[in-house]
Amino acid sequence: MSILDSTDAWRRITDPRFSPLLTELAQLGEADVDPALVARLRRDFDAEDLAVGFELTAARRRARSKFPSADEMLCDVEGVAQASGASVAAHKAERFRGDRRIVDLCCGIGGDTMALADLGQDVSGVDNSPVRARMAGHNADVSIENTDVARYPVEGALVHIDPGRRRGGRRLWRYQDLQPGADVVEPLLSAADGAALKLGPGVDWDEVPDRSKRECEVIGGRSGLLQAVIWCGDLVRVGGQHTATRLESGLSYSAVPDQFLAVAAKPGRFLLIPDPALERARLVAPRIDSRDVFELAAGLGWLTSDEALGDPWFEEHEILATMSWRPRKILDWLQSHDGGVVTVRTRAGAVDTDREQQSLRGSGSTAYTVFGVREGKRIVCYITGGAEDSSG
């Protein structure tokens, strides 16, 4: 039985008489199980209530990295994993700012609902799970309906929709695998005045309908890619374009996507690594435009140039030496150049980074970054100084 089937227990858990239980559970470490304490709790509380208490405690612990109000939230572990964190939710919510009604469909525990409610507008939500609907209502302090989103009236409203992207514990990436599916989602997007459709960043853009009128945004943060959003109707800023966004720096770049990159005849002075959001949004080629920047190897996605770009969308690494990937030869070069700590980076598993970092580390005082890149049938080594990230 799913923990979300315990509807009555989730309703009871917010009763003040359960506060001592939650306080005791919160004091336990994640892997810290005191058999005596558990035995006593089992005498004092119903098994279903106790299971919900453990779930809520674990979920709040995981939510702390996403939400400032984690310890007051009503949530489950899976719901926290699926929810937008506070920073990305606040970023999206800014497009909804105004005086129109907002509806958060498939709202889950209310990660986006909370940010939308902070705008001070008329906000409501919908979820087909009675427990998740209760959670979102508690967390965002707005009205949440437990009903089928397909029948919910969205005409005249701005809509945020977050379809399920997991089945049987497996993450789904294809647009056609959304839950509810495109046959439900697309009519909702069309009926609303404006809409934001939340997707995983791995979505295949070619599967997304009507992209010539919509805006496709990829949002990244310090931990990597966070999510993709399809903006529709009145919420579109640049129709037919893609947008890359970096939350921590506030950078945003929009252009018509293009994937064509010429391959370098030989490496230049610098190795350039595009920001993941820029690359996933297919905006690397538009960003470099007519500058003399080339792909290091066909399909690799890493670039090279003779001049530094000084562009915050790219890491820049000055190439100090180039050679075939022969660990003994690489180590000899590093040792002869005062090599100490070595960071090894690669793509598509061309080299074992953990193993090579250990084997190439020296006793010197100079740090180096070594790149192992597959070019055709061989692996090429590029030795560079420490990373110079133009974003600061």
Side-chain angles (χ1 to χ4, degrees):
M1 183 179 73
S2 167
I3 192 71
L4 294 183
D5 292 331
S6 302
T7 308
D8 291 339
W10 281 103
R11 185 180 298 111
R12 290 192 297 268
I13 202 68
T14 56
D15 189 286
R17 67 190 179 93
F18 285 93
S19 295
L21 168 65
L22 297 178
T23 299
E24 288 197 82
L25 293 178
Q27 292 172 350
L28 293 174
E30 189 163 7
D32 181 15
V33 179
D34 181 347
L37 173 61
V38 172
R40 178 172 60 78
L41 292 175
R42 282 177 175 166
R43 290 194 302 269
D44 296 341
F45 296 96
D46 179 89
E48 190 176 38
D49 293 335
L50 189 56
V52 166
F54 272 108
E55 178 75 12
L56 176 57
T57 303
R60 284 176 171 174
R61 189 178 294 119
R62 287 162 174 74
R64 287 172 190 154
S65 63
K66 282 188 165 187
F67 304 104
S69 59
D71 290 337
E72 287 75 49
M73 289 176 63
L74 196 57
C75 50
D76 65 299
V77 171
E78 184 180 27
V80 170
Q82 294 175 356
S84 297
S87 59
V88 68
H91 164 77
K92 290 187 293 178
E94 278 303 311
R95 288 215 196 186
F96 290 80
R97 188 176 293 278
D99 57 4
R100 281 191 276 186
R101 180 171 67 98
I102 302 172
V103 181
D104 190 11
L105 302 176
C106 307
C107 62
I109 67 169
D112 285 291
T113 323
M114 290 188 286
L116 293 168
D118 285 343
L119 297 175
Q121 294 164 230
D122 177 9
V123 176
S124 59
V126 179
D127 200 272
N128 65 357
S129 163
V131 171
R132 291 263 173 80
R134 179 173 178 80
M135 290 174 176
H138 172 92
N139 297 333
D141 194 23
V142 299
S143 174
I144 307 292
E145 253 188 81
N146 170 219
T147 189
D148 183 356
V149 298
R151 296 192 296 270
Y152 197 81
V154 297
E155 291 77 6
L158 300 178
V159 168
H160 178 276
I161 182 168
D162 180 9
R165 295 181 302 281
R166 293 173 188 261
R167 182 183 297 131
R170 183 170 58 91
R171 191 183 295 271
L172 306 173
W173 296 109
R174 294 171 60 84
Y175 188 80
Q176 63 194 41
D177 292 334
L178 297 177
Q179 299 174 321
D183 59 327
V184 171
V185 169
E186 284 296 324
L188 291 169
L189 298 179
S190 300
D193 283 1
L197 172 63
K198 173 184 166 182
L199 299 172
V203 64
D204 184 347
W205 296 120
D206 296 329
E207 292 184 350
V208 177
D210 211 13
R211 284 189 298 134
S212 63
K213 298 178 182 177
R214 297 173 175 180
E215 177 186 353
C216 305
E217 181 180 20
V218 178
I219 304 171
R222 293 192 184 280
S223 60
L225 295 177
L226 299 174
Q227 60 186 248
V229 184
I230 308 299
W231 297 100
C232 309
D234 292 351
L235 294 179
V236 172
R237 291 178 178 170
V238 283
Q241 296 190 25
H242 287 194
T243 297
T245 296
R246 289 177 58 169
L247 287 183
E248 76 281 2
S249 60
L251 285 176
S252 190
Y253 173 69
S254 300
V256 176
D258 184 358
Q259 291 184 285
F260 175 76
L261 290 167
V263 178
K266 61 178 183 178
R269 181 183 167 194
F270 292 92
L271 188 156
L272 310 172
I273 299 182
D275 181 271
L278 189 77
E279 184 177 17
R280 189 66 195 91
R282 299 180 179 176
L283 294 179
V284 174
R287 183 71 186 181
I288 64 174
D289 195 18
S290 59
R291 291 178 285 186
D292 291 330
V293 179
F294 305 92
E295 195 168 22
L296 197 59
L300 180 67
W302 288 355
L303 315 177
T304 187
S305 69
D306 286 324
E307 301 293 333
L309 297 185
D311 188 322
W313 286 101
F314 297 88
E315 288 181 31
E316 296 182 350
H317 301 261
E318 185 173 7
I319 298 173
L320 305 177
T322 304
M323 62 192 74
S324 295
W325 190 273
R326 295 177 182 171
R328 183 69 252 179
K329 184 178 180 182
I330 299 169
L331 183 59
D332 287 345
W333 189 98
L334 293 169
Q335 289 178 341
S336 67
H337 290 80
D338 191 38
V341 174
V342 175
T343 300
V344 177
R345 296 175 65 177
T346 190
R347 272 213 135 169
V351 300
D352 183 332
T353 55
D354 291 336
R355 184 186 66 193
E356 299 297 352
Q357 279 178 177
Q358 291 297 319
S359 65
L360 295 177
R361 182 168 184 163
S363 58
S365 59
T366 304
Y368 291 97
T369 302
V370 176
F371 294 86
V373 176
R374 186 175 298 280
E375 298 182 14
K377 294 183 178 180
R378 70 188 189 120
I379 299 175
V380 179
C381 168
Y382 295 94
I383 300 176
T384 74
E388 296 176 5
D389 185 348
S390 300
S391 68

